[in-house]
Short mmCIF file of all heavy atoms in Angstrom, two decimals:
data_model
loop_
_atom_site.label_atom_id
_atom_site.label_comp_id
_atom_site.label_asym_id
_atom_site.label_seq_id
_atom_site.Cartn_x
_atom_site.Cartn_y
_atom_site.Cartn_z
N HIS A 25 99.21 -81.24 -46.33
CA HIS A 25 98.62 -81.39 -45.00
C HIS A 25 99.70 -81.71 -43.97
O HIS A 25 99.75 -81.10 -42.90
CB HIS A 25 97.57 -82.51 -45.04
CG HIS A 25 96.84 -82.66 -43.74
ND1 HIS A 25 95.63 -82.07 -43.51
CD2 HIS A 25 97.18 -83.31 -42.61
CE1 HIS A 25 95.24 -82.36 -42.27
NE2 HIS A 25 96.16 -83.11 -41.71
N CYS A 31 103.13 -75.92 -38.55
CA CYS A 31 102.89 -74.49 -38.36
C CYS A 31 102.90 -74.12 -36.87
O CYS A 31 102.09 -74.61 -36.09
CB CYS A 31 101.57 -74.10 -39.00
SG CYS A 31 101.36 -72.34 -39.05
N GLY A 32 103.83 -73.26 -36.48
CA GLY A 32 103.94 -72.83 -35.09
C GLY A 32 104.87 -73.68 -34.26
O GLY A 32 105.08 -73.38 -33.08
N HIS A 33 105.44 -74.73 -34.83
CA HIS A 33 106.24 -75.66 -34.02
C HIS A 33 107.63 -75.93 -34.60
O HIS A 33 108.31 -76.85 -34.17
CB HIS A 33 105.50 -77.00 -33.88
CG HIS A 33 104.11 -76.85 -33.35
ND1 HIS A 33 103.84 -76.72 -32.00
CD2 HIS A 33 102.90 -76.76 -33.97
CE1 HIS A 33 102.53 -76.58 -31.82
NE2 HIS A 33 101.94 -76.60 -32.99
N PRO A 35 111.70 -75.54 -35.70
CA PRO A 35 112.90 -75.29 -34.87
C PRO A 35 113.33 -73.83 -34.83
O PRO A 35 113.98 -73.41 -33.89
CB PRO A 35 114.00 -76.11 -35.55
CG PRO A 35 113.30 -77.09 -36.41
CD PRO A 35 111.99 -76.49 -36.80
N LEU A 37 112.19 -69.67 -36.46
CA LEU A 37 111.14 -68.87 -37.10
C LEU A 37 111.21 -68.92 -38.62
O LEU A 37 110.20 -69.07 -39.30
CB LEU A 37 111.28 -67.44 -36.60
CG LEU A 37 110.06 -66.55 -36.49
CD1 LEU A 37 108.85 -67.30 -35.98
CD2 LEU A 37 110.39 -65.39 -35.57
N GLU A 38 112.41 -68.80 -39.17
CA GLU A 38 112.57 -68.80 -40.62
C GLU A 38 112.07 -70.12 -41.23
O GLU A 38 111.52 -70.12 -42.33
CB GLU A 38 114.03 -68.58 -41.01
CG GLU A 38 114.52 -67.14 -40.83
CD GLU A 38 114.94 -66.82 -39.39
OE1 GLU A 38 114.68 -67.65 -38.50
OE2 GLU A 38 115.50 -65.73 -39.17
N ILE A 41 108.24 -70.25 -41.32
CA ILE A 41 107.71 -69.49 -42.45
C ILE A 41 107.92 -70.27 -43.75
O ILE A 41 107.02 -70.37 -44.59
CB ILE A 41 108.38 -68.10 -42.51
CG1 ILE A 41 107.96 -67.28 -41.28
CG2 ILE A 41 108.04 -67.37 -43.80
CD1 ILE A 41 108.70 -65.98 -41.09
N ASN A 45 105.14 -71.81 -46.35
CA ASN A 45 105.18 -71.49 -47.78
C ASN A 45 105.03 -72.72 -48.64
O ASN A 45 104.27 -72.75 -49.61
CB ASN A 45 106.54 -70.88 -48.11
CG ASN A 45 106.40 -69.46 -48.55
OD1 ASN A 45 105.38 -69.08 -49.11
ND2 ASN A 45 107.41 -68.67 -48.28
N ALA A 47 103.80 -75.63 -47.78
CA ALA A 47 102.45 -76.19 -47.62
C ALA A 47 101.44 -75.40 -48.45
O ALA A 47 100.56 -75.98 -49.11
CB ALA A 47 102.06 -76.18 -46.14
N LEU A 48 101.60 -74.08 -48.45
CA LEU A 48 100.67 -73.23 -49.21
C LEU A 48 100.74 -73.53 -50.70
O LEU A 48 99.72 -73.64 -51.38
CB LEU A 48 101.01 -71.76 -48.99
CG LEU A 48 100.32 -71.08 -47.83
CD1 LEU A 48 100.90 -69.70 -47.61
CD2 LEU A 48 98.81 -70.98 -48.10
N ASP A 72 86.97 -79.59 -53.44
CA ASP A 72 86.78 -79.85 -52.01
C ASP A 72 86.11 -81.21 -51.78
O ASP A 72 86.47 -81.93 -50.85
CB ASP A 72 85.94 -78.75 -51.36
CG ASP A 72 86.76 -77.49 -51.11
OD1 ASP A 72 87.99 -77.61 -50.98
OD2 ASP A 72 86.16 -76.40 -51.06
N TYR A 76 87.68 -83.91 -49.38
CA TYR A 76 87.08 -84.08 -48.06
C TYR A 76 86.07 -85.23 -47.97
O TYR A 76 85.68 -85.62 -46.89
CB TYR A 76 86.41 -82.78 -47.60
CG TYR A 76 87.41 -81.70 -47.31
CD1 TYR A 76 87.81 -80.79 -48.30
CD2 TYR A 76 88.02 -81.61 -46.06
CE1 TYR A 76 88.76 -79.82 -48.04
CE2 TYR A 76 88.97 -80.65 -45.79
CZ TYR A 76 89.34 -79.75 -46.78
OH TYR A 76 90.29 -78.80 -46.51
N GLY A 97 114.16 -83.35 -39.31
CA GLY A 97 115.06 -83.96 -40.29
C GLY A 97 114.32 -84.87 -41.25
O GLY A 97 114.51 -84.82 -42.47
N GLY A 149 122.94 -79.09 -45.23
CA GLY A 149 123.33 -78.41 -43.98
C GLY A 149 123.24 -79.34 -42.78
O GLY A 149 124.12 -79.34 -41.91
N ASP A 152 125.63 -82.72 -43.31
CA ASP A 152 127.03 -82.36 -43.10
C ASP A 152 127.12 -81.28 -42.02
O ASP A 152 127.81 -80.29 -42.18
CB ASP A 152 127.63 -81.85 -44.42
CG ASP A 152 129.12 -81.53 -44.27
OD1 ASP A 152 129.77 -82.15 -43.42
OD2 ASP A 152 129.60 -80.65 -45.00
N GLY A 153 126.39 -81.48 -40.92
CA GLY A 153 126.37 -80.49 -39.85
C GLY A 153 127.11 -81.01 -38.64
O GLY A 153 128.30 -81.29 -38.70
N ARG A 160 120.94 -88.11 -37.21
CA ARG A 160 119.48 -88.04 -37.37
C ARG A 160 119.08 -88.07 -38.84
O ARG A 160 118.08 -88.68 -39.22
CB ARG A 160 118.94 -86.76 -36.73
CG ARG A 160 118.82 -86.84 -35.21
CD ARG A 160 118.25 -85.53 -34.71
NE ARG A 160 118.13 -85.44 -33.28
CZ ARG A 160 116.97 -85.59 -32.61
NH1 ARG A 160 115.86 -85.86 -33.26
NH2 ARG A 160 116.94 -85.46 -31.31
N GLU A 211 126.90 -84.87 -51.01
CA GLU A 211 127.36 -83.61 -50.42
C GLU A 211 126.93 -83.54 -48.95
O GLU A 211 127.61 -82.93 -48.12
CB GLU A 211 126.77 -82.42 -51.20
CG GLU A 211 127.58 -81.14 -51.00
CD GLU A 211 126.92 -79.91 -51.60
OE1 GLU A 211 126.21 -80.05 -52.63
OE2 GLU A 211 127.09 -78.82 -51.04
N GLN A 242 91.21 -86.25 -39.27
CA GLN A 242 91.35 -84.86 -38.89
C GLN A 242 90.93 -83.92 -40.01
O GLN A 242 90.13 -83.01 -39.82
CB GLN A 242 92.82 -84.60 -38.57
CG GLN A 242 92.99 -83.95 -37.23
CD GLN A 242 94.44 -83.66 -36.93
OE1 GLN A 242 95.16 -83.07 -37.74
NE2 GLN A 242 94.86 -84.05 -35.75
N MET A 243 91.49 -84.18 -41.17
CA MET A 243 91.28 -83.28 -42.30
C MET A 243 89.81 -83.19 -42.68
O MET A 243 89.29 -82.12 -43.00
CB MET A 243 92.11 -83.76 -43.49
CG MET A 243 92.06 -82.82 -44.68
SD MET A 243 93.19 -83.37 -45.98
CE MET A 243 92.16 -84.52 -46.82
N LEU A 246 85.24 -81.81 -40.20
CA LEU A 246 84.14 -80.84 -40.25
C LEU A 246 83.17 -81.14 -41.38
O LEU A 246 81.95 -81.06 -41.20
CB LEU A 246 84.69 -79.42 -40.42
CG LEU A 246 85.01 -78.66 -39.14
CD1 LEU A 246 85.63 -77.31 -39.49
CD2 LEU A 246 83.78 -78.47 -38.28
N GLN A 247 83.72 -81.48 -42.53
CA GLN A 247 82.86 -81.77 -43.69
C GLN A 247 81.99 -83.01 -43.43
O GLN A 247 80.86 -83.10 -43.91
CB GLN A 247 83.72 -82.00 -44.94
CG GLN A 247 84.32 -80.73 -45.51
CD GLN A 247 83.34 -79.97 -46.39
OE1 GLN A 247 82.19 -80.38 -46.58
NE2 GLN A 247 83.78 -78.84 -46.93
N TYR A 250 79.34 -82.09 -40.40
CA TYR A 250 78.30 -81.11 -40.76
C TYR A 250 78.15 -81.10 -42.28
O TYR A 250 78.53 -80.13 -42.93
CB TYR A 250 78.66 -79.72 -40.24
CG TYR A 250 78.86 -79.70 -38.74
CD1 TYR A 250 80.13 -79.83 -38.19
CD2 TYR A 250 77.77 -79.57 -37.88
CE1 TYR A 250 80.32 -79.84 -36.81
CE2 TYR A 250 77.94 -79.58 -36.50
CZ TYR A 250 79.21 -79.71 -35.97
OH TYR A 250 79.39 -79.73 -34.62
N GLU A 254 78.15 -74.58 -46.01
CA GLU A 254 79.14 -73.70 -46.64
C GLU A 254 80.03 -73.13 -45.56
O GLU A 254 79.56 -72.83 -44.46
CB GLU A 254 78.42 -72.56 -47.35
CG GLU A 254 78.03 -72.91 -48.77
CD GLU A 254 77.67 -71.67 -49.54
OE1 GLU A 254 78.52 -70.77 -49.62
OE2 GLU A 254 76.53 -71.61 -50.03
N TRP A 255 81.28 -73.00 -45.88
CA TRP A 255 82.24 -72.56 -44.86
C TRP A 255 82.94 -71.31 -45.30
O TRP A 255 83.89 -70.86 -44.76
CB TRP A 255 83.26 -73.67 -44.57
CG TRP A 255 82.60 -74.91 -44.13
CD1 TRP A 255 82.20 -75.96 -44.91
CD2 TRP A 255 82.19 -75.26 -42.79
NE1 TRP A 255 81.60 -76.93 -44.15
CE2 TRP A 255 81.57 -76.53 -42.85
CE3 TRP A 255 82.29 -74.61 -41.55
CZ2 TRP A 255 81.07 -77.16 -41.71
CZ3 TRP A 255 81.80 -75.24 -40.43
CH2 TRP A 255 81.18 -76.51 -40.51
N ILE B 62 104.22 -64.77 -31.99
CA ILE B 62 104.69 -66.16 -32.07
C ILE B 62 103.75 -67.10 -31.33
O ILE B 62 103.31 -68.12 -31.88
CB ILE B 62 106.13 -66.26 -31.50
CG1 ILE B 62 107.08 -65.38 -32.32
CG2 ILE B 62 106.60 -67.70 -31.49
CD1 ILE B 62 107.02 -65.57 -33.81
N THR B 73 94.90 -78.03 -39.60
CA THR B 73 94.71 -79.39 -40.13
C THR B 73 93.24 -79.79 -40.17
O THR B 73 92.91 -80.85 -40.69
CB THR B 73 95.49 -80.42 -39.30
OG1 THR B 73 95.07 -80.31 -37.94
CG2 THR B 73 96.99 -80.19 -39.40
N ARG B 74 92.36 -78.97 -39.59
CA ARG B 74 90.93 -79.29 -39.62
C ARG B 74 90.13 -78.27 -40.43
O ARG B 74 88.90 -78.28 -40.36
CB ARG B 74 90.39 -79.37 -38.19
CG ARG B 74 90.90 -80.59 -37.43
CD ARG B 74 90.39 -80.61 -36.01
NE ARG B 74 91.02 -79.56 -35.19
CZ ARG B 74 90.65 -79.25 -33.96
NH1 ARG B 74 89.64 -79.88 -33.40
NH2 ARG B 74 91.27 -78.31 -33.29
N ALA B 75 90.80 -77.39 -41.12
CA ALA B 75 90.08 -76.38 -41.90
C ALA B 75 89.13 -77.08 -42.88
O ALA B 75 89.49 -78.10 -43.46
CB ALA B 75 91.07 -75.51 -42.66
N PRO B 76 87.91 -76.54 -43.03
CA PRO B 76 86.88 -77.30 -43.74
C PRO B 76 86.96 -77.30 -45.26
O PRO B 76 86.30 -78.12 -45.90
CB PRO B 76 85.59 -76.60 -43.28
CG PRO B 76 86.00 -75.22 -42.93
CD PRO B 76 87.40 -75.32 -42.41
N THR B 77 87.71 -76.39 -45.86
CA THR B 77 87.86 -76.42 -47.33
C THR B 77 89.32 -76.11 -47.65
O THR B 77 90.06 -75.59 -46.82
CB THR B 77 86.99 -75.35 -48.04
OG1 THR B 77 87.51 -74.06 -47.73
CG2 THR B 77 85.52 -75.43 -47.63
N LEU B 78 89.70 -76.41 -48.88
CA LEU B 78 91.08 -76.14 -49.29
C LEU B 78 91.37 -74.64 -49.25
O LEU B 78 92.44 -74.21 -48.85
CB LEU B 78 91.32 -76.69 -50.70
CG LEU B 78 91.26 -78.22 -50.81
CD1 LEU B 78 91.24 -78.64 -52.28
CD2 LEU B 78 92.43 -78.86 -50.08
N ARG B 80 89.90 -72.32 -47.34
CA ARG B 80 90.00 -71.87 -45.94
C ARG B 80 91.33 -72.28 -45.33
O ARG B 80 91.93 -71.55 -44.55
CB ARG B 80 88.86 -72.43 -45.11
CG ARG B 80 87.52 -71.82 -45.40
CD ARG B 80 87.37 -70.46 -44.75
NE ARG B 80 86.15 -69.83 -45.21
CZ ARG B 80 86.05 -68.56 -45.57
NH1 ARG B 80 87.10 -67.76 -45.50
NH2 ARG B 80 84.91 -68.07 -45.98
N LYS B 81 91.75 -73.47 -45.68
CA LYS B 81 93.03 -73.96 -45.15
C LYS B 81 94.17 -73.07 -45.64
O LYS B 81 95.05 -72.68 -44.88
CB LYS B 81 93.23 -75.41 -45.62
CG LYS B 81 94.35 -76.20 -44.98
CD LYS B 81 94.53 -77.44 -45.85
CE LYS B 81 95.43 -78.49 -45.29
NZ LYS B 81 94.73 -79.44 -44.44
N ALA B 82 94.13 -72.75 -46.93
CA ALA B 82 95.20 -71.91 -47.49
C ALA B 82 95.17 -70.51 -46.85
O ALA B 82 96.22 -69.97 -46.49
CB ALA B 82 95.05 -71.81 -49.01
N VAL B 88 98.45 -67.34 -40.51
CA VAL B 88 99.33 -67.72 -39.40
C VAL B 88 100.80 -67.52 -39.79
O VAL B 88 101.63 -67.11 -38.98
CB VAL B 88 99.05 -69.16 -38.94
CG1 VAL B 88 99.96 -69.55 -37.80
CG2 VAL B 88 97.59 -69.31 -38.50
N GLN B 89 101.08 -67.75 -41.05
CA GLN B 89 102.44 -67.51 -41.54
C GLN B 89 102.79 -66.01 -41.44
O GLN B 89 103.90 -65.65 -41.07
CB GLN B 89 102.54 -67.97 -42.99
CG GLN B 89 103.93 -67.85 -43.57
CD GLN B 89 103.92 -67.96 -45.08
OE1 GLN B 89 102.94 -67.60 -45.73
NE2 GLN B 89 104.99 -68.46 -45.64
N ARG B 109 117.57 -62.06 -30.45
CA ARG B 109 116.34 -62.83 -30.53
C ARG B 109 116.39 -64.01 -29.56
O ARG B 109 115.41 -64.32 -28.89
CB ARG B 109 116.13 -63.34 -31.96
CG ARG B 109 114.70 -63.74 -32.24
CD ARG B 109 114.56 -64.79 -33.34
NE ARG B 109 115.11 -64.37 -34.62
CZ ARG B 109 115.04 -65.14 -35.72
NH1 ARG B 109 114.43 -66.31 -35.68
NH2 ARG B 109 115.58 -64.73 -36.85
N LYS B 187 79.89 -66.47 -43.00
CA LYS B 187 79.44 -67.78 -43.48
C LYS B 187 78.76 -68.55 -42.36
O LYS B 187 77.73 -69.20 -42.56
CB LYS B 187 80.64 -68.61 -43.97
CG LYS B 187 81.16 -68.19 -45.31
CD LYS B 187 80.37 -68.84 -46.43
CE LYS B 187 80.98 -68.49 -47.78
NZ LYS B 187 79.98 -68.40 -48.84
N GLN B 195 75.95 -74.11 -37.33
CA GLN B 195 77.00 -73.11 -37.60
C GLN B 195 76.71 -71.80 -36.86
O GLN B 195 77.61 -71.17 -36.33
CB GLN B 195 77.13 -72.85 -39.10
CG GLN B 195 77.82 -73.99 -39.85
CD GLN B 195 77.85 -73.73 -41.35
OE1 GLN B 195 76.80 -73.56 -41.97
NE2 GLN B 195 79.03 -73.70 -41.93
N MET B 198 77.65 -72.15 -33.35
CA MET B 198 79.11 -72.04 -33.16
C MET B 198 79.54 -70.58 -33.19
O MET B 198 80.39 -70.16 -32.40
CB MET B 198 79.85 -72.78 -34.28
CG MET B 198 79.83 -74.30 -34.19
SD MET B 198 80.81 -74.99 -35.57
CE MET B 198 79.75 -76.32 -36.09
N ARG B 301 105.70 -74.00 -27.03
CA ARG B 301 106.86 -73.20 -27.49
C ARG B 301 108.17 -73.81 -26.99
O ARG B 301 109.16 -73.85 -27.71
CB ARG B 301 106.75 -71.75 -27.01
CG ARG B 301 105.71 -70.90 -27.72
CD ARG B 301 105.76 -71.02 -29.23
NE ARG B 301 107.10 -70.78 -29.78
CZ ARG B 301 107.49 -71.13 -31.00
NH1 ARG B 301 106.67 -71.75 -31.81
NH2 ARG B 301 108.72 -70.87 -31.41
N ALA B 304 108.97 -76.88 -29.11
CA ALA B 304 109.48 -76.51 -30.44
C ALA B 304 110.95 -76.09 -30.34
O ALA B 304 111.78 -76.47 -31.17
CB ALA B 304 108.63 -75.38 -31.03
N GLY B 308 114.04 -78.47 -31.55
CA GLY B 308 114.74 -77.88 -32.70
C GLY B 308 116.20 -77.57 -32.43
O GLY B 308 116.92 -77.13 -33.34
N TRP B 310 118.84 -79.38 -32.06
CA TRP B 310 119.82 -80.09 -32.91
C TRP B 310 119.84 -79.52 -34.33
O TRP B 310 120.88 -79.53 -34.99
CB TRP B 310 119.54 -81.59 -32.92
CG TRP B 310 118.31 -82.02 -33.69
CD1 TRP B 310 117.05 -82.17 -33.20
CD2 TRP B 310 118.25 -82.36 -35.09
NE1 TRP B 310 116.20 -82.57 -34.20
CE2 TRP B 310 116.90 -82.71 -35.37
CE3 TRP B 310 119.18 -82.40 -36.12
CZ2 TRP B 310 116.47 -83.08 -36.64
CZ3 TRP B 310 118.75 -82.78 -37.39
CH2 TRP B 310 117.41 -83.11 -37.64
N ARG B 312 119.20 -76.30 -35.17
CA ARG B 312 119.94 -75.03 -35.14
C ARG B 312 121.44 -75.29 -35.00
O ARG B 312 122.25 -74.66 -35.68
CB ARG B 312 119.41 -74.15 -33.99
CG ARG B 312 117.94 -73.76 -34.16
CD ARG B 312 117.49 -72.73 -33.12
NE ARG B 312 117.67 -73.17 -31.74
CZ ARG B 312 116.77 -73.90 -31.06
NH1 ARG B 312 115.63 -74.25 -31.62
NH2 ARG B 312 117.01 -74.26 -29.82
N GLY B 314 123.09 -78.03 -35.82
CA GLY B 314 123.59 -78.69 -37.03
C GLY B 314 123.84 -77.69 -38.15
O GLY B 314 124.88 -77.72 -38.80
N HIS B 318 127.43 -76.63 -39.83
CA HIS B 318 127.67 -76.68 -41.27
C HIS B 318 128.21 -75.34 -41.78
O HIS B 318 129.16 -75.30 -42.57
CB HIS B 318 126.38 -77.03 -42.01
CG HIS B 318 126.55 -77.09 -43.48
ND1 HIS B 318 127.23 -78.13 -44.11
CD2 HIS B 318 126.17 -76.25 -44.48
CE1 HIS B 318 127.24 -77.91 -45.42
NE2 HIS B 318 126.61 -76.78 -45.66
N LYS B 321 131.80 -75.05 -40.86
CA LYS B 321 132.64 -75.88 -41.74
C LYS B 321 132.88 -75.19 -43.08
O LYS B 321 133.98 -75.16 -43.59
CB LYS B 321 131.96 -77.22 -42.01
CG LYS B 321 132.13 -78.25 -40.92
CD LYS B 321 131.56 -79.58 -41.39
CE LYS B 321 131.11 -80.43 -40.21
NZ LYS B 321 130.48 -81.69 -40.62
N ARG B 322 131.78 -74.67 -43.61
CA ARG B 322 131.87 -73.96 -44.90
C ARG B 322 132.85 -72.79 -44.83
O ARG B 322 133.68 -72.61 -45.71
CB ARG B 322 130.49 -73.42 -45.30
CG ARG B 322 129.58 -74.44 -45.95
CD ARG B 322 129.87 -74.52 -47.45
NE ARG B 322 129.39 -75.77 -48.00
CZ ARG B 322 128.26 -75.90 -48.70
NH1 ARG B 322 127.50 -74.85 -48.93
NH2 ARG B 322 127.91 -77.07 -49.16
#
Side-chain angles (χ1 to χ4, degrees):
Chain A
H25 184 96
C31 190
H33 306 278
L37 210 39
E38 286 82 351
I41 294 171
N45 245 330
L48 270 172
D72 283 335
Y76 291 92
D152 183 28
R160 282 181 182 258
E211 202 188 329
Q242 232 182 50
M243 185 175 85
L246 271 177
Q247 286 278 0
Y250 302 95
E254 273 195 57
W255 302 92
Chain B
I62 299 310
T73 56
R74 290 178 289 172
T77 69
L78 293 169
R80 288 282 172 224
K81 191 193 190 88
V88 180
Q89 184 196 29
R109 199 206 301 183
K187 284 276 184 212
Q195 285 176 302
M198 286 182 224
R301 287 312 308 163
W310 72 269
R312 298 188 302 274
H318 180 73
K321 279 187 206 176
R322 278 275 160 102

